[in-house]
Each structure stands twice: as structure tokens, then as C-alpha cells.
């Protein structure tokens, strides 16, 4: 049993050292720099870039979609923007059409109704190929934006070397359950520590899908690679946000984080959907970490530490826990050093977060340690062993013929206020194939 004791002690000690160095440097680099904030008048009254807001939608709850569209319609932006909502063959289309109708009279809104479910990535590309704005803002259909999100992201992207920028995410339904409260804290950490520290070096590793803006000229140069991503010879359809961010960085553009651009997105309120989401994200992270290996050599060394902290850290913690459990099972001995180390790091982490944010709720984030140790780390191990699985896990799609996005979109009717007459939506519905089975949201 000495071998198990030694393995657990070495693993947890290594994890403690790595975690302390990584979290310490992350806390330092995530602090706002003492620079004058960019003025929102830099563009001039007639020089604000045009923006296309693209919203892929699949079986969305009508009330959630209505809130999303209302938040976009009410954007306080000095420039012009167009909205492209792409209904990706939703099975509940009849339920969401009244939401579309509410914006028929608004010339900014356009509705693309796909006859079949093609997936989020191709739905995005369908709108990108139809639009022409200087910037493209991708928004999830379950996300609502603060009124100044477009303005703040556009100001950040005034530098021509910035290819993408993301806003700060919060949980729209934070108060629903204990899990949504934990996820909201998890999002705060992911944005205001991880992304903020990466943004210090212009290398946010994942501009998250619910709210991310891209420079069109950069996006168009990468669109074919983005659309045709393969992993081990198979199409890879999920993790589109991380993959597109890595492509931007590999092309030499910067990716940034804008904490003032706040977007609230609906998060899972039950453990099953949450774990399926985490499994999908874990596979995406592992896949694109492999893609980014060569990229790290050209970035600040902190980014290498960041990748190690996010990937090697959970591995060391998993080894420590498994060997400690093995020691308990075979020798009925508790490895108190491992237990004490994990408990101490958890308490320190939660206390520091509460002090930094001045919010006592982060004391409760210590509960997340149990989820991480007993659910998320085993799930990541499973994800690593099943990287070739490209199932979305939270939606059902129909088999598609081997057609490119250009072929798909060329057959799609475009409905909305800028279509001929006010009956465009109804006419598009009439020609659309509504025989799809509703998938799980």
C-alpha cells in the first residue's frame, strides 16, 4: 500500500504546487490594467462600423427567443446593424413564428428558415454568406444582451489586428436552482479570471458562443477551414466557438475579452443536461488543444502555463483521488495528507474569491469541488477516451445529404421586413419542410 500512498501524496502535492502558481499568476494577470478606457467616440458619428448580428436558433422556447430578440432590438449603437435569425429546421417552428412576426416591420431583422436541421455551425455560415457588415456578432438564441454590448465590443475591435472579442457571460436563470447558482459562479471565474488573464496577452483561447464578435475580413479568410473541420477523418460539428478562436490566433489575429459587455445566457438547471454539456465541451477542449500546440510557441509563456493548469491539473487531482480511494479500499487507511490538501485548497480558493468579489455567495463555490472531483474529472477522462464521438448530446438532428453550405443556403428563402411584402415569413414556412422531429433543447 506504500505505493498507493506515495502516488497519492506526490500527485496531490504536485497539483497543489501547479494550482498555486497557476491561480496566483492568473489572479495577477486578470486584474484590469491601469490604462485609460477607450472612448466610444473614437469612430466619429458617421464612422461606426456596420454590424451583423447572427442568431442560430433550434427548437428554442418562444419566450426565451423573444427576450433575446428584444435585447438586440434595443441595442444603443450609434452605427447600423442588421439581425439575421437562422431557424435551423426547428420542430417547434409554428410556436416561434409569432416571435418572428413581432419584428416583421423592423427593417433591421431578417429571418432565414432552413428546411432541415444542418447544425449550429452551418446555420451560422448560412447567415454569414448572406450578410455584409464590417463585424459579425454571434449570439445564442437563449442569450440576452445588455444594451451597450455591440458598442463595447465594436470599440474593442477598433484595432485592425483584433480578430475576435467576447463579452462577459452570466447565468440568466441564476436563481432557479442550486446548480444554476454554481454555474453562474463558474462563469464568473471563466470570464473574469481565465479569459481576462488570457486577454492580457491578446490570446483568449475561446471566445464563447453566446456572445462573440468577429471581424468579417478575418472570418471570411477562415470560413472554409471553419466549415470543414475534421477530427480523425470525421466531421466535427461542436465546439465551434473554440475552434474558430484557435483559427483566428493561428492566422495571427488577437482575441480579446471585454468585461463590460455583459450577456446573460440560460444554463442547465439539472445535472443530466449539465454533464452532457460538459462532456461536449471537454471533447472540444481536448481536440483544439491539440490543434493549438504549435500556436503556444509564439505566445507568452503564461499561455503554456494556462494550458497546463487547465489540462494537467485535473489529471493530477484525479490520480490523487483515485489512489487515495484505492488505499482506503485495500488497506482501510485514510490518506489524510491528500484529504487535508484538497480541503485546504478548496477553502482558500472560496475565501479568496469571496474577498475579491466582495460577495459571500462565493463561499458556496466550495460545493463545486465535489462535483469536479467525483463527476467532472471522470467525465473528462471519458471524453479523452471518446474524442472521435461527434454527437452533440443535447440535440437530435436528421441525416443530411452530402451538400455544402453554399448549396443549402442557395435553396433557402429569406424572410423578413426586407423581403417583398409582409408575407415573407408565411411564404417561407409554406415552402419549408416542417416534417422534422423536435429535438431536445
Amino acid at each position: 500500500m506504500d505505493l498507493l500512498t506515495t502516488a497519492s501524496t506526490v500527485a496531490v502535492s504536485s497539483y497543489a504546487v501547479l494550482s498555486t502558481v497557476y491561480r496566483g499568476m492568473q489572479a495577477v494577470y486578470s486584474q484590469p490594467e491601469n490604462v485609460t478606457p477607450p472612448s466610444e467616440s473614437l469612430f466619429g458619428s458617421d464612422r461606426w462600423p456596420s454590424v451583423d448580428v447572427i442568431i442560430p436558433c433550434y427548437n428554442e422556447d418562444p419566450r426565451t427567443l423573444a427576450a433575446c430578440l428584444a435585447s438586440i432590438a434595443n441595442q444603443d449603437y450609434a452605427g447600423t446593424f442588421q439581425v439575421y435569425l437562422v431557424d435551423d429546421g426547428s420542430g417547434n417552428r409554428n410556436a416561434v413564428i409569432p416571435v418572428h412576426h413581432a419584428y416583421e416591420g423592423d427593417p433591421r431583422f431578417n429571418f432565414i428558415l432552413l428546411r432541415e436541421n444542418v447544425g449550429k455551425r452551418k446555420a451560422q455560415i448560412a447567415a454569414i454568406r448572406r450578410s455584409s457588415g464590417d463585424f459579425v456578432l454571434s449570439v445564442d438564441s437563449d442569450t440576452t444582451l445588455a444594451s451597450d454590448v455591440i458598442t463595447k465590443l465594436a470599440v474593442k475591435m477598433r484595432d485592425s489586428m483584433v480578430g475576435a472579442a467576447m463579452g462577459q457571460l452570466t447565468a440568466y436563470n441564476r436563481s432557479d436552482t442550486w446548480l444554476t447558482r454554481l454555474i453562474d459562479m463558474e462563469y464568473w471565474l471563466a470570464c473574469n479570471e481565465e479569459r481576462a488573464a488570457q486577454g492580457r496577452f491578446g490570446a483568449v483561447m475561446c471566445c464563447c458562443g453566446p456572445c462573440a464578435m468577429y471581424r468579417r475580413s478575418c472570418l471570411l479568410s477562415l470560413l472554409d477551414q471553419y466549415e470543414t473541420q475534421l477530427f480523425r477523418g470525421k466531421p466535427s460539428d461542436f465546439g465551434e466557438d473554440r475552434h474558430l478562436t484557435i483559427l483566428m490566433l493561428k492566422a495571427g489575429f488577437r482575441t480579446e475579452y471585454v468585461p463590460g459587455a455583459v450577456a446573460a445566457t440560460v444554463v442547465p438547471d439539472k445535472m443530466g443536461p449539465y454533464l452532457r454539456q460538459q462532456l461536449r465541451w471537454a471533447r472540444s477542449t481536448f481536440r483544439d488543444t491539440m490543434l493549438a500546440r504549435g500556436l503556444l510557441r509564439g505566445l507568452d509563456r503564461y499561455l503554456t502555463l494556462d494550458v497546463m493548469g487547465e489540462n494537467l491539473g485535473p489529471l493530477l487531482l484525479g490520480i490523487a483521488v483515485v489512489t487515495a480511494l484505492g488505499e482506503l479500499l485495500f488497506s482501510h487507511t485514510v490518506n489524510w495528507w491528500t484529504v487535508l490538501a484538497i480541503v485546504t485548497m478548496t477553502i482558500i480558493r472560496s475565501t479568496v474569491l469571496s474577498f475579491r468579489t466582495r460577495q459571500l455567495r462565493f463561499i458556496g463555490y466550495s460545493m463545486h469541488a465535489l462535483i469536479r472531483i467525483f463527476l467532472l474529472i471522470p467525465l473528462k477522462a471519458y471524453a479523452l477516451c471518446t474524442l472521435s464521438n461527434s454527437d452533440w448530446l443535447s440535440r437530435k438532428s436528421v441525416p443530411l445529404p452530402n451538400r455544402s453550405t453554399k448549396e443549402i443556403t442557395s435553396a433557402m428563402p429569406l424572410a423578413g421586413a426586407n423581403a417583398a411584402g409582409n408575407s415573407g415569413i408565411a411564404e417561407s414556412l409554406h415552402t419549408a419542410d416542417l416534417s422534422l422531429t423536435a429535438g431536445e433543447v
Side-chain angles (χ1 to χ4, degrees):
M1 295 301 106
D2 288 343
L3 179 61
L4 290 176
T5 302
T6 302
S8 182
T9 301
V10 170
V12 79
S13 300
S14 300
Y15 171 73
V17 172
L18 175 61
S19 181
T20 300
V21 173
Y22 171 47
R23 297 300 180 190
M25 293 186 68
Q26 186 181 75
V28 171
Y29 286 132
S30 63
Q31 295 299 314
E33 296 183 86
N34 293 322
V35 296
T36 303
S39 170
E40 295 180 2
S41 62
L42 285 175
F43 291 112
S45 59
D46 58 346
R47 294 170 54 195
W48 283 86
S50 57
V51 177
D52 293 322
V53 183
I54 293 176
I55 313 165
C57 176
Y58 181 70
N59 287 349
E60 191 59 79
D61 181 278
R63 293 168 298 180
T64 303
L65 180 61
C68 171
L69 297 185
S71 74
I72 294 170
N74 294 326
Q75 285 295 298
D76 183 15
Y77 182 59
T80 61
F81 68 92
Q82 290 285 313
V83 182
Y84 294 84
L85 186 141
V86 187
D87 187 287
D88 187 18
S90 294
N92 69 336
R93 185 172 284 173
N94 288 335
V96 297
I97 279 298
V99 180
H100 298 184
H101 279 307
Y103 295 91
E104 260 190 317
D106 191 328
R108 299 172 299 178
F109 279 76
N110 308 271
F111 296 89
I112 302 174
L113 309 179
L114 305 188
R115 295 189 180 94
E116 55 192 12
N117 176 237
V118 297
K120 180 179 178 180
R121 190 175 307 206
K122 282 185 164 56
Q124 284 179 323
I125 295 173
I128 291 170
R129 295 197 191 282
R130 294 217 177 202
S131 57
S132 59
D134 298 311
F135 298 152
V136 174
L137 175 62
S138 179
V139 178
D140 282 354
S141 59
D142 60 358
T143 300
T144 59
L145 307 182
S147 61
D148 57 357
V149 164
I150 294 182
T151 297
K152 289 188 173 178
L153 291 177
V155 168
K156 173 61 76 171
M157 296 191 66
R158 71 195 187 282
D159 185 338
S160 61
M161 288 309 297
V162 176
M166 67 166 284
Q168 179 178 180
L169 301 182
T170 64
Y172 180 84
N173 52 333
R174 180 179 103 180
S175 61
D176 283 5
T177 66
W178 64 271
L179 180 59
T180 58
R181 291 184 177 89
L182 279 180
I183 294 174
D184 183 67
M185 289 185 274
E186 188 178 12
Y187 277 19
W188 191 95
L189 292 169
C191 291
N192 294 295
E193 287 200 340
E194 182 183 339
R195 265 56 166 199
Q198 294 168 352
R200 176 69 69 94
F201 306 99
V204 172
M205 302 302 284
C206 178
C207 288
C208 299
C211 178
M213 181 176 283
Y214 304 94
R215 188 176 303 277
R216 176 176 293 278
S217 57
C218 308
L219 190 57
L220 292 179
S221 67
L222 301 170
L223 208 55
D224 288 341
Q225 295 180 64
Y226 176 56
E227 181 178 5
T228 59
Q229 181 189 2
L230 299 175
F231 183 79
R232 294 177 180 171
K234 297 180 180 180
S236 181
D237 293 327
F238 55 73
E240 69 291 329
D241 48 4
R242 182 176 294 274
H243 184 64
L244 185 53
T245 306
I246 296 299
L247 291 178
M248 286 281 180
L249 290 170
K250 291 187 72 175
F253 297 102
R254 296 210 314 274
T255 54
E256 301 281 358
Y257 170 61
V258 184
V262 180
T265 188
V266 176
V267 301
D269 58 0
K270 293 183 175 61
M271 190 59 70
Y274 172 68
L275 292 178
R276 289 195 294 272
Q277 180 192 67
Q278 292 297 309
L279 176 57
R280 189 174 72 245
W281 288 358
R283 286 174 178 155
S284 169
T285 299
F286 288 136
R287 289 182 182 188
D288 283 294
T289 296
M290 295 177 185
L291 180 65
R293 283 178 302 176
L295 172 68
L296 291 174
R297 288 194 295 268
L299 300 175
D300 190 273
R301 283 178 292 181
Y302 169 76
L303 277 307
T304 300
L305 175 63
D306 180 83
V307 171
M308 290 178 60
E310 293 297 325
N311 293 279
L312 181 58
L315 174 62
L316 291 172
L317 182 58
I319 292 173
V321 171
V322 168
T323 50
L325 289 175
E327 185 179 359
L328 177 64
L329 178 64
F330 292 112
S331 66
H332 305 290
T333 302
V334 176
N335 188 322
W336 288 110
W337 168 248
T338 297
V339 174
L340 182 62
I342 293 175
V343 170
T344 300
M345 285 189 291
T346 300
I347 292 174
I348 292 174
R349 173 85 164 139
S350 300
T351 303
V352 170
L353 286 174
S354 296
F355 178 78
R356 180 183 172 188
T357 61
R358 293 176 173 80
Q359 298 180 45
L360 287 176
R361 68 189 180 105
F362 277 90
I363 293 292
Y365 190 69
S366 56
M367 291 177 56
H368 190 268
L370 296 174
I371 296 176
R372 187 183 188 204
I373 292 171
F374 295 108
L375 293 176
L376 295 185
I377 289 179
L379 183 136
K380 286 187 175 183
Y382 176 73
L384 192 59
C385 296
T386 57
L387 283 180
S388 296
N389 189 332
S390 294
D391 188 4
W392 188 272
L393 298 173
S394 61
R395 64 190 289 173
K396 298 177 182 177
S397 56
V398 297
L400 298 176
N402 186 20
R403 299 160 63 192
S404 69
T405 303
K406 289 181 180 179
E407 292 174 321
I408 292 171
T409 57
S410 65
M412 298 303 166
L414 180 65
N418 60 350
N422 287 329
S423 60
I425 294 177
E427 291 174 0
S428 296
L429 278 176
H430 182 70
T431 60
D433 179 6
L434 299 182
S435 61
L436 298 176
T437 302
E440 183 180 356
V441 175

